[in-house]
Amino acid sequence: KAGVTQTPRYLIKTRGQQVTLSCSPISGHRSVSWYQQTPGQGLQFLFEYFSETQRNKGNFPGRFSGRQFSNSRSEMNVSTLELGDSALYLCASSPLAGGPAKNIQYFGAGTRLSVL
Amino acid sequence: DQQVKQNSPSLSVQEGRISILNCDYTNSMFDYFLWYKKYPAEGPTFLISISSIKDKNEDGRFTVFLNKSAKHLSLHIVPSQPGDSAVYFCAASALKTSYDKVIFGPGTSLSVIP
């Protein structure tokens, strides 16, 4: 099975621009979560999608949004970029089989976003 | 307010010795805990997990210990190998509640010195 694929791997934007990141989950996985990783902060949860519906949301401003398509692929959008948005954005998929297994997530390599 | 804490940002251990990575949590509703390992330029990969009904789970060289009363868990790696050098994230979730998110700690960077 192919793993979680994130595109692009690297991105450079300037303040005020917007950006869209893409994530293709493992085949058969219906849950997709997005995380922001910055030094010293670990992985901060952004949101989770399941069957095209946002199930959970972290404490990020409304500039951060996402969606999931019928094939489970997901996109994340950040509008009006700020310097502080520079980070590694990770996508993870889960089989959501129920019970503890649903919390075992499979991560992509991430998209490194630099805002200048 | 960090609900999952890893107070040691980094740790250095000699090859062959034991590595002990610590994690503390504040939310008593957490009942399932996971450890992930992350190499540079790769996403985190699942390592080992433990349910709150257990106090120990072992998988090869990796053992996780859970002390519910202290809200503390630790990951032991014995013996440590250079390939174990990575960032280790502790994570927690509350399976029995509607709080259906996995909360990650800030990570501990482990260096195993040959």
Side-chain angles (χ1 to χ4, degrees), chain A residues 9 35 37 40-43 45 48 55-58 88 90 99-100 102-105 107-109, chain B residues 2 32 34 36 38 41-46 49 89 93 95 98 100-107:
Chain A
R9 289 294 310 275
Y35 294 86
Q37 186 190 3
Q41 291 297 312
L43 279 67
F45 174 76
E48 182 207 355
R55 291 204 321 156
N56 281 297
K57 191 176 189 307
L88 179 67
L90 291 160
K102 69 175 182 175
N103 285 304
I104 297 174
Q105 296 175 300
F107 284 83
Chain B
Q2 279 192 340
Y32 193 71
L34 311 95
Y36 284 81
K38 185 181 185 298
E42 295 182 13
T45 55
F46 170 72
S49 63
F89 292 100
S93 66
L95 293 180
S98 59
D100 201 14
K101 292 189 286 193
V102 179
I103 306 298
F104 285 82

Side-chain angles (χ1 to χ4, degrees), chain A residues 34-113:
Chain A
W34 288 89
Y35 294 86
Q36 180 195 67
Q37 186 190 3
T38 53
Q41 291 297 312
L43 279 67
Q44 302 291 308
F45 174 76
L46 280 153
F47 27 66
E48 182 207 355
Y49 286 87
F50 178 78
S51 292
E52 302 177 66
T53 301
Q54 188 181 85
R55 291 204 321 156
N56 281 297
K57 191 176 189 307
N59 297 323
F60 278 81
R63 300 185 296 107
F64 292 81
S65 63
R67 58 178 175 168
Q68 186 181 34
F69 302 95
S70 58
N71 60 359
S72 292
R73 191 177 71 84
S74 178
E75 286 182 349
M76 189 192 102
N77 185 276
V78 187
S79 62
T80 320
L81 284 166
E82 300 176 359
L83 295 179
D85 296 334
S86 295
L88 179 67
Y89 290 89
L90 291 160
C91 166
S93 73
S94 167
L96 219 65
K102 69 175 182 175
N103 285 304
I104 297 174
Q105 296 175 300
Y106 298 82
F107 284 83
T111 295
R112 173 75 61 184
L113 172 65

